[in-house]
Amino acid sequence: MIIFGTRGYLYQLAILTMVCGWCGNPAAHTLRKRVTKFTLFFVPLFPFSTKYATQCTFCGGEQQIPKEQAEQLLAQHAASQDGNPFGQAQAQGQPGYAPGGQGQNPYQH
């Protein structure tokens, strides 16, 4: 007896701020990659379907996008990080942040 089937894997690639096509709000969107793999005796062997999608965290609307657009969004996200693990928010001078780690931090005494 041979047992075979499929199994789906969902990867969250990035969280992006975009204007939602469904609700029109500028909100965070998750960029996701869904991979479906062929399994033999419950062992995943090879992927046979890969799909990319963005989902709005405000309204929950999901839109499938082509691989090229997903790669472009991921590259833009990586470029906006610019080596700062906290993204652009602190680089733009948010309260509680001073370059070089000096300045007032209300959570640290």
Side-chain angles (χ1 to χ4, degrees):
M1 181 156 111
I2 297 176
I3 300 173
F4 65 94
T6 62
R7 181 166 183 196
Y9 297 88
L10 187 63
Y11 302 100
Q12 181 172 317
L13 303 176
I15 298 178
L16 312 164
T17 302
M18 301 186 303
V19 175
C20 180
W22 295 99
C23 65
N25 289 315
H29 286 69
T30 56
L31 177 61
R32 296 180 177 169
K33 176 181 175 181
R34 181 180 305 272
V35 179
T36 305
K37 294 185 177 184
F38 176 78
T39 60
L40 183 63
F41 293 106
F42 305 105
V43 177
L45 295 179
F46 58 88
F48 69 88
S49 173
T50 303
K51 296 180 181 178
Y52 295 88
T54 59
Q55 183 176 20
C56 178
T57 58
F58 187 80
C59 69
E62 187 170 335
Q63 179 181 9
Q64 287 195 359
I65 59 174
K67 179 181 178 181
E68 294 79 22
Q69 186 178 358
E71 290 173 349
Q72 182 183 19
L73 288 171
L74 198 56
Q76 288 175 356
H77 175 71
S80 72
Q81 294 295 311
D82 200 42
N84 184 358
F86 299 106
Q88 292 288 24
Q90 289 185 349
Q92 294 174 353
Q94 293 294 319
Y97 173 76
Q102 298 179 10
Q104 296 178 347
N105 186 349
Y107 303 109
Q108 197 174 41
H109 295 278

